[in-house]
Amino acid sequence: MFCYQCEQTARGQGCTVKGVCGKEPSTAALQDLLTYAVQGLGIVAHEARQKGVNNNQANRFTSEALFSTLTNVDFDDSRFVPLIKKAVELREAIREKAGLAPAADGPAAFTPADDLEGLVAQGEAHGLKQQDVDPDVESLRHLILFGLRGVAAYADHAAILGQEDDQVYAFVHEALASMWDKSLGVNDYVGLALKAGEINLRTMELLDAGNTGVYGHPAPTEVPLGHKAGKAILVSGHDLKDLAQLLEQTRDKGIYIYTHGEMLPTHGYPELKKYEHFYGHYGTAWQNQGKEFPLFPGAILMTTNCIQRPKGDTPDKIFTTGLVGWPGVPHIAEENGKKDFTKVIEKALALPGFQEDENKDSVMVGFARNAVMGVADKVIEAVKAGAIKHFFLVGGCDGAKPGRDYYTEFVEKTPSDTVILTLACGKFRFFDKKLGDIGGIPRLLDVGQCNDAYSAIQIAVALSKAFDCGVNDLPLSMILSWYEQKACAILLTLLYLGIKDIRLGPSLPAFVSPNVLKVLVENFNIMPITTPDKDLEAILG
């Protein structure tokens, strides 16, 4: 196997024996083969579009398939078999309808093996690394591919809530097809990478519209970190619709619902927090499941990416849904647009739950674009008066690899006349820090999930308009952490918007070649983090 799509990849170069995420070589091979099959689907779908043939089933499937290959989503080998075969079936259906000639070779001519062993062997033969490819071209192809996996994740979330745009699907197929176009060079792929950033911006806009259109705009909300005596269900991942269905199905059943990881910001949505049994938040970021889940005395539901190998008694009380999968873990499938969480509820009722109330600190969430723009006049006034000297966007993915304490220390050392915007699970390095406020404006503002990056971008754009300057001219610095491919998509969006001086860590992507990195540095001054003291001094002078 060879995989280097995440920040924690072995030795900072690539996983070759087993994934640091827990991915077995067979799983890696099947993910590579699904990617290969979807590239074949992309080639045919892109060509068919030129003839007026557009298959929405293939559009939605492409998002689901690419999302399935994103880090920490699906570890169940058996679930990749139907996906691989479906990619080929859709490819051939589109080819026939568009009247396209069969391909002679490559992914558009791929025929899957009949059994799992054969599919694994095919996946090993069609891995990420291709022979006789310029390293800079390969680097850019992989940057685009991993970015597409992030775009696909956001597109899937948005489509679940009824928000789609064919230009997103059209570009994804075009970009997949481009990876097998030998006529394209470095400049072409740089353009495609920036285009991926543009398309991701549109995709995040769709997701924002879906979340806020169905569940309302998040409002500042205090979330308890303790618990109530009683039965309990813990919900992790990102999916708001899954949470909403679970809340409705557990109404009046004597079960308290808690969030974990990236579900924390859901407490700010009016249509979710109206449920009285939606109580508080338990635990921290995804990588701490191994020690936090065994201690939770109720059922656990994983709704999207970030699952890890279940430890302790977790296998007896955990369920997956959506695209998440782990071998042997019960999966809740959707039927006719709805999910029946009866099994999760029955498990929660059978488990002891919390025996007594626990009163702990609380944290504030709900500072998405609508909430922040609602007090924009106060923020602008505070900046003009000198009360707020600088804004820091400190966010991104968390992870277990050493070096991430940088983000905790950085936030702790920011001056008292600065404001920290944060989003995604990187915030769990400092989300419970009491940083005070500036004239009633909290110094730490939780914008939301990684899925809410659109909110952070809109806040920056609104501030730039208020001060009649470009975003790069604002007293705003971005200190980002990355782990998986949604972060790649967001980075491409920031580059498309021309954002410069981004500090990225804890390490730079292994799939970015020295020459590609040079382009990023020269054009966007993207740089690695160093130490909190040095970076703060460089930023604030």
Side-chain angles (χ1 to χ4, degrees), residues 75-346:
F75 295 81
D76 189 343
D77 287 1
S78 66
R79 294 185 61 190
F80 287 101
V81 177
L83 291 173
I84 293 166
K85 293 182 177 179
K86 187 70 173 180
V88 175
E89 290 172 6
L90 287 168
R91 183 195 77 200
E92 291 309 301
I94 295 171
R95 186 195 305 280
E96 182 178 351
K97 186 172 183 179
L100 302 176
D105 53 24
F110 161 69
T111 299
D114 294 328
D115 57 17
L116 183 62
E117 184 178 355
L119 291 171
V120 169
Q122 286 180 318
E124 291 170 347
H126 297 294
L128 283 173
K129 292 289 188 178
Q130 299 176 30
Q131 293 184 351
D132 302 322
V133 177
D134 178 274
D136 298 326
V137 166
E138 182 177 65
S139 175
L140 287 164
R141 283 178 178 174
H142 289 167
L143 175 61
I144 295 166
L145 172 62
F146 300 151
L148 289 180
R149 289 175 176 174
V151 173
Y154 293 133
D156 183 62
H157 288 309
I160 286 170
L161 296 172
Q163 294 290 329
E164 296 181 83
D165 185 339
D166 190 61
Q167 70 168 315
V168 174
Y169 298 134
F171 174 77
V172 170
H173 285 146
E174 176 190 359
L176 288 170
S178 77
M179 293 175 193
W180 294 89
D181 189 340
K182 296 180 180 180
S183 70
L184 301 181
V186 168
N187 290 337
D188 300 301
Y189 285 113
V190 168
L192 279 168
L194 295 178
K195 181 67 175 178
E198 179 184 5
I199 291 298
N200 186 58
L201 179 62
R202 173 57 180 152
T203 310
M204 291 191 297
E205 181 183 21
L206 292 170
L207 178 54
D208 179 85
N211 285 336
T212 59
V214 177
Y215 304 108
H217 284 278
T221 302
E222 188 172 7
V223 184
L225 297 180
H227 53 250
K228 300 285 286 184
K231 305 295 184 178
I233 295 176
L234 186 64
V235 185
S236 192
H238 304 79
D239 197 286
L240 273 62
K241 186 175 180 179
D242 286 338
L243 175 60
Q245 291 183 82
L246 180 66
L247 286 168
E248 185 59 34
Q249 292 175 36
T250 50
R251 189 198 292 265
D252 301 324
K253 291 190 180 294
I255 301 173
Y256 287 105
I257 305 299
Y258 299 85
T259 54
H260 175 269
E262 286 260 54
M263 294 300 279
L264 169 62
T266 60
H267 288 275
Y269 286 89
E271 291 301 308
L272 296 176
K273 68 179 184 178
K274 70 182 182 182
Y275 292 92
E276 293 183 1
H277 63 299
F278 187 29
Y279 181 67
H281 186 76
Y282 173 90
T284 52
W286 66 271
Q287 76 275 5
N288 297 321
Q289 291 172 40
K291 60 183 179 182
E292 293 174 351
F293 282 7
L295 299 177
F296 187 77
I300 300 169
L301 178 65
M302 297 297 300
T303 66
T304 59
N305 55 305
C306 298
I307 193 171
Q308 287 187 301
R309 182 181 299 278
K311 295 182 179 180
D313 69 345
T314 304
D316 297 325
K317 61 189 181 186
I318 191 170
F319 299 80
T320 62
T321 191
L323 298 174
V324 189
W326 192 278
V329 171
H331 187 79
I332 309 299
E334 182 177 271
E335 295 183 12
N336 300 318
K338 294 183 179 180
K339 295 180 181 180
D340 183 354
F341 291 113
T342 299
K343 292 182 179 179
V344 182
I345 294 168
E346 289 175 346

Side-chain angles (χ1 to χ4, degrees), residues 11-44:
R11 301 177 304 281
Q13 298 175 349
C15 295
T16 57
V17 178
K18 182 178 180 178
V20 293
C21 62
K23 182 165 58 178
E24 296 292 340
S26 61
T27 310
L30 291 167
Q31 289 182 352
D32 285 345
L33 189 61
L34 178 57
T35 300
Y36 187 72
V38 172
Q39 287 173 337
L41 173 59
I43 291 170
V44 174

Side-chain angles (χ1 to χ4, degrees), residues 221-503:
T221 302
E222 188 172 7
V223 184
L225 297 180
H227 53 250
K228 300 285 286 184
K231 305 295 184 178
I233 295 176
L234 186 64
V235 185
S236 192
H238 304 79
D239 197 286
L240 273 62
K241 186 175 180 179
D242 286 338
L243 175 60
Q245 291 183 82
L246 180 66
L247 286 168
E248 185 59 34
Q249 292 175 36
T250 50
R251 189 198 292 265
D252 301 324
K253 291 190 180 294
I255 301 173
Y256 287 105
I257 305 299
Y258 299 85
T259 54
H260 175 269
E262 286 260 54
M263 294 300 279
L264 169 62
T266 60
H267 288 275
Y269 286 89
E271 291 301 308
L272 296 176
K273 68 179 184 178
K274 70 182 182 182
Y275 292 92
E276 293 183 1
H277 63 299
F278 187 29
Y279 181 67
H281 186 76
Y282 173 90
T284 52
W286 66 271
Q287 76 275 5
N288 297 321
Q289 291 172 40
K291 60 183 179 182
E292 293 174 351
F293 282 7
L295 299 177
F296 187 77
I300 300 169
L301 178 65
M302 297 297 300
T303 66
T304 59
N305 55 305
C306 298
I307 193 171
Q308 287 187 301
R309 182 181 299 278
K311 295 182 179 180
D313 69 345
T314 304
D316 297 325
K317 61 189 181 186
I318 191 170
F319 299 80
T320 62
T321 191
L323 298 174
V324 189
W326 192 278
V329 171
H331 187 79
I332 309 299
E334 182 177 271
E335 295 183 12
N336 300 318
K338 294 183 179 180
K339 295 180 181 180
D340 183 354
F341 291 113
T342 299
K343 292 182 179 179
V344 182
I345 294 168
E346 289 175 346
K347 176 61 70 172
L349 292 173
L351 291 169
F354 290 107
Q355 299 303 299
E356 58 184 19
D357 290 354
E358 179 189 47
N359 295 316
K360 292 178 66 175
D361 284 340
S362 62
V363 295
M364 291 292 294
V365 300
F367 295 99
R369 60 184 176 87
N370 205 52
V372 174
M373 291 177 186
V375 295
D377 55 339
K378 294 181 180 180
V379 174
I380 294 166
E381 182 180 341
V383 173
K384 290 181 176 178
I388 296 178
K389 295 286 177 55
H390 205 85
F391 296 90
F392 294 99
L393 175 58
V394 186
C397 311
D398 203 3
K401 191 176 177 179
R404 291 179 180 268
D405 287 345
Y406 164 94
Y407 298 94
T408 310
E409 186 180 347
F410 185 95
V411 167
E412 289 176 337
K413 289 184 173 181
T414 54
S416 59
D417 56 3
T418 60
V419 171
I420 297 95
L421 301 167
T422 189
L423 75 164
C425 62
K427 67 168 147 279
F428 288 107
R429 293 283 170 175
F430 49 81
F431 80 124
D432 55 352
K433 302 294 180 184
K434 306 303 180 185
L435 302 181
D437 64 87
I438 300 174
I441 302 169
R443 285 194 58 227
L444 181 59
L445 301 175
D446 186 349
V447 178
Q449 300 178 341
C450 66
N451 290 14
D452 299 311
Y454 181 77
S455 260
I457 290 170
Q458 291 306 304
I459 290 169
V461 170
L463 287 173
S464 70
K465 289 180 179 178
F467 290 105
D468 193 25
C469 66
V471 173
N472 289 317
D473 299 316
L474 286 171
L476 168 68
S477 300
M478 297 191 181
I479 318 295
L480 306 181
S481 56
W482 80 282
Y483 172 69
E484 41 91 323
Q485 296 76 65
K486 288 181 183 177
C488 296
I490 292 172
L491 178 61
L492 291 176
T493 294
L494 295 176
L495 298 182
Y496 158 71
L497 292 170
I499 306 300
K500 297 184 177 181
D501 304 326
I502 297 170
R503 285 174 166 79

